[in-house]
Amino acid sequence: MFTGTLPEGTTGKDVIAALCGFFKNDEVLNHAIEFTGSEETMRSLPIDARLTIANQSTEWGGLSGLFPIDSMLKAWLRAKATEYALYDSNTAKRFNHQRLDELFKNPLEADKGAKYAKYLTLNLSTLCPYVSGPNSVKVATPLAELESQNIKVDRAYVISCTNSRRSDLAAAARVFKEAAKKNNNIIPKIPDHVNFYIAAASLPEQKAAEEQGDWQALLDAGAQDLPAACGACIGLGVGLLEPGEIGISASNRNFKARMGSREAQAYLASPEVVAASALAGKISGPGWYKKPADWVGVEKSEGEPFAKKSVDEALEAIIGRLDSIIHASSAPSLAESGAGEGNEDTLTKLYPGFPEKIKGEIVFCDADNLNTDGIYPGKYTYQDDVPAKKMAEVCMENFDPAFRELAKPGDILVSGFNFGCGSSREQAATAILAKGIPLVIAGSFGNIFSRNSINNALMGVEVPKLIHRLREVFTTSSSQDGKESGEKVLTRRTGWTLEWDVRRSKVTITESDGKSWSQKVAELPPNVQEVIASGGLEKWVKAQIGT
């Protein structure tokens, strides 16, 4: 829930950067996020700002980010429909006022009395410009703090679907146009050491920016124009970060090595901050935000906010809580159910040919939010002819090159929380399989990775207790033999073994000293077993249709 209003000099990019940084411990993982607020609050968020926030909800960990269909959105959609009717007859066939009429008659909205898993609140009035990184969307720092550090910028990017619409390009151009007023009305050039790249979110957006004069202003400043397509944002084409370089981008992801070398650093910021940084040659802002004299920090909270409710709403809320309490108290515990202890009524049926037990040595990749770029480098993603041997070699390359030699076929890969976040790419699953690893254990999985794993016959199980136990035994700075060292060990052979009893939905861990303990886990139902046993969803479908 948003409260307050967005201050001048802050943007939707700052909102989502702050949210990712403040609520970074799986608060929204695999949740559908609904953004709400008063009419005054929501009117302070332009539609382009909402698009950015919704777009980057994936990076935050959510399944979706939904804004209300309010008067602002309706006006924006009407304007788009009119624009298409006048200038784009093909698009107008599917995006027109008639279809909008139908949408507005039955708008998508939450049911009255809907119950939410959790509530997060951010006071927009207290927000200031934020920058994400380096190399993580879960690290967010006020721009002012980074400005004071004089962080040199080698490459700057106003690119991608996230923040390269006409309004974004206009904001970036405004930085140079305002600077021109102090330079005899001549657009100033960026420093020689800076490479500045622009790529519109689409050709229509580029055309609009050209008509407004913003595209040319950026070119006059020394920007290099790139096609309106995926490029440096996913590690392809021109402008990739070289070892030791620092980049700042208006795109949505800055995972290590995603935009180039794993020895580079990538930050994310609003288009105007990116432009100002390109002009200054270091991370800087345009100076449009003015901190209030009484500002003491950003106000945020977790938990259902207090709000006046009608008698009916209050009763409904009380009944809902009682229902939840009754449901929780009536559910049998693991001990009561006897699950995993041989009770045939609780055993999972095995699909013919599916193994009853899977066992292997644990190789531990100690990281939360290990993203798909870390698992399988983006530069190989769009190559269809990469052989399995090569996929195995580059598996985890961006996360830890040492993984190539440390991990062996038959190992069980264990990692932290929100494993497999980021881009949806099937190779993140198939590269692990190519390495000969049949099972991944994590504290939690990104939903996209979970779905891709099943589709490609890679098994995954969530065991949070195991992650905590491994981190308790193996400190982040201990070496392979357990002795203290100065650097975090990213990948280690633990000497522990894990056995997953599929029928009993239980894992048993044997530590290096021979002591064992067990943990109940979620069931792997027979229909999912069937897909995995078939070699993945594609092969399963082919078998079903008899081809």
Side-chain angles (χ1 to χ4, degrees):
M1 174 182 287
F2 294 131
T3 61
T5 56
L6 196 64
E8 182 179 356
T10 57
T11 68
K13 193 73 163 187
D14 301 309
V15 174
I16 191 60
L19 288 172
C20 289
F22 291 142
F23 304 106
K24 58 185 177 182
N25 296 311
D26 284 3
E27 287 91 344
V28 302
L29 180 63
N30 298 334
H31 287 66
I33 306 164
E34 183 180 349
F35 296 103
T36 63
S38 68
E39 182 177 356
E40 180 185 17
T41 294
M42 301 309 287
R43 289 193 69 82
S44 74
L45 287 169
I47 301 305
D48 279 2
R50 301 183 192 187
L51 288 168
T52 296
I53 297 168
N55 182 302
Q56 284 197 239
S57 292
T58 300
E59 282 65 50
W60 192 15
L63 292 178
S64 64
L66 180 67
F67 277 87
I69 299 178
D70 57 10
S71 58
M72 281 188 66
L73 180 58
K74 289 178 180 179
W76 186 86
L77 291 171
R78 291 292 187 191
K80 286 292 183 182
T82 299
E83 179 181 332
Y84 296 140
L86 293 172
Y87 305 113
D88 189 346
S89 58
N90 285 329
T91 301
K93 293 176 182 177
R94 55 184 174 81
F95 193 121
N96 50 58
H97 288 286
Q98 182 179 355
R99 294 199 67 181
L100 291 181
D101 290 338
E102 296 171 0
L103 171 66
F104 298 156
K105 286 179 182 178
N106 186 28
L108 181 65
E109 58 186 3
D111 294 334
K112 184 179 179 181
K115 298 176 178 62
Y116 295 87
K118 58 188 69 177
Y119 295 82
L120 305 175
T121 302
L122 179 67
N123 184 348
L124 296 181
S125 296
T126 64
L127 191 66
C128 62
Y130 266 79
V131 176
S132 299
N135 296 347
S136 174
V137 296
K138 299 296 181 78
V139 177
T141 307
L143 170 64
E145 290 186 24
L146 295 181
E147 284 183 305
S148 66
Q149 297 176 27
N150 292 316
I151 301 172
K152 181 183 176 182
V153 167
D154 299 290
R155 299 179 191 268
Y157 311 82
V158 177
I159 59 174
S160 90
C161 56
T162 312
N163 272 115
S164 200
R165 291 175 288 274
R166 65 190 74 178
S167 62
D168 300 313
L169 295 164
R174 178 186 164 193
V175 172
F176 294 97
K177 290 178 179 179
E178 290 189 353
K181 295 176 182 178
K182 303 176 183 178
N183 191 43
N184 296 319
N185 291 321
I186 299 173
I187 296 290
K189 296 287 186 180
I190 58 174
D192 291 340
H193 77 273
V194 176
N195 284 287
F196 182 29
Y197 307 93
I198 58 173
S202 67
L203 287 175
E205 293 300 295
Q206 179 175 332
K207 183 178 180 181
E210 290 171 344
E211 292 174 349
Q212 293 167 184
D214 297 322
W215 193 261
Q216 189 58 50
L218 295 170
L219 294 178
D220 290 344
Q224 303 172 50
D225 57 334
L226 302 176
C230 292
C233 174
I234 57 170
L236 297 176
V238 176
L240 302 187
L241 289 168
E242 298 290 341
E245 290 188 335
I246 295 176
I248 186 166
S249 176
S251 51
N252 56 351
R253 294 167 183 160
N254 60 339
F255 305 137
K256 178 183 286 189
R258 177 178 173 87
M259 298 183 68
S261 170
R262 68 185 309 274
E263 281 78 43
Q265 292 186 338
Y267 293 85
L268 302 179
S270 66
E272 46 263 57
V273 169
V274 171
S277 300
L279 181 58
K282 61 181 182 179
I283 294 182
S284 304
W288 301 343
Y289 170 77
K290 304 299 180 185
K291 184 172 72 173
D294 58 349
W295 188 82
V296 294
V298 179
E299 296 178 7
K300 73 254 181 221
S301 63
E302 185 171 356
E304 185 173 1
F306 173 80
K308 291 183 178 180
K309 296 180 179 179
S310 67
V311 174
D312 288 343
E313 289 173 332
L315 285 173
E316 200 168 277
I318 293 171
I319 292 171
R321 292 194 184 96
L322 287 173
D323 286 343
S324 297
I325 293 171
I326 293 170
H327 176 75
S329 63
S330 62
S333 66
L334 295 180
E336 292 169 340
S337 68
E341 300 303 326
N343 185 337
E344 291 300 326
D345 291 336
T346 61
L347 295 179
T348 299
K349 291 182 179 180
L350 289 179
Y351 178 78
F354 197 88
E356 180 177 348
K357 296 180 180 180
I358 296 167
K359 184 177 181 179
E361 182 178 346
I362 292 174
V363 57
F364 184 36
C365 291
D366 187 8
D368 294 332
N369 307 305
L370 208 169
N371 58 80
T372 52
D373 282 277
I375 300 169
Y376 189 77
K379 62 185 178 182
Y380 301 109
T381 300
Y382 297 98
Q383 298 180 28
D384 294 331
D385 57 349
V386 180
K389 182 179 179 181
K390 181 65 175 180
M391 293 182 73
E393 289 177 358
V394 302
C395 182
M396 295 289 179
E397 181 178 270
N398 284 348
F399 169 67
D400 182 13
F403 182 88
R404 177 185 300 183
E405 301 300 328
L406 289 171
K408 308 297 181 184
D411 284 342
I412 292 175
L413 172 61
V414 178
S415 192
F417 294 83
N418 197 21
F419 183 85
C421 58
S423 301
S424 174
R425 60 183 62 159
E426 65 179 43
Q427 295 94 332
T430 55
I432 294 173
L433 287 170
K435 189 69 177 174
I437 295 173
L439 173 63
V440 179
I441 305 289
S444 58
F445 289 99
N447 185 268
I448 290 175
F449 180 85
S450 294
R451 183 68 258 179
N452 280 335
S453 295
I454 295 170
N455 289 349
N456 290 282
L458 175 67
M459 294 173 283
V461 180
E462 294 185 352
V463 191
K465 180 180 177 181
L466 174 57
I467 313 310
H468 296 308
R469 177 60 180 158
L470 284 166
R471 287 174 173 170
E472 178 185 332
V473 174
F474 299 100
T475 61
T476 56
S477 60
S478 64
S479 61
Q480 293 293 332
D481 58 7
K483 297 179 181 179
E484 291 295 317
S485 64
E487 297 183 1
K488 177 177 179 178
V489 177
L490 297 178
T491 305
R492 71 171 74 244
R493 300 198 66 81
T494 61
W496 297 17
T497 59
L498 180 145
E499 182 180 79
W500 177 27
D501 189 327
V502 180
R503 293 188 71 225
R504 289 172 173 77
S505 301
K506 182 178 69 174
V507 295
T508 299
I509 291 87
T510 303
E511 300 184 9
S512 54
D513 59 3
K515 293 181 180 179
S516 297
W517 53 273
S518 298
Q519 175 70 43
K520 181 75 170 144
V521 297
E523 178 188 39
L524 187 71
N527 60 332
V528 177
Q529 296 176 33
E530 182 180 357
V531 172
I532 294 173
S534 300
L537 186 61
E538 182 179 345
K539 292 181 180 179
W540 179 86
V541 170
K542 287 182 177 180
Q544 297 302 305
I545 61 178
T547 61

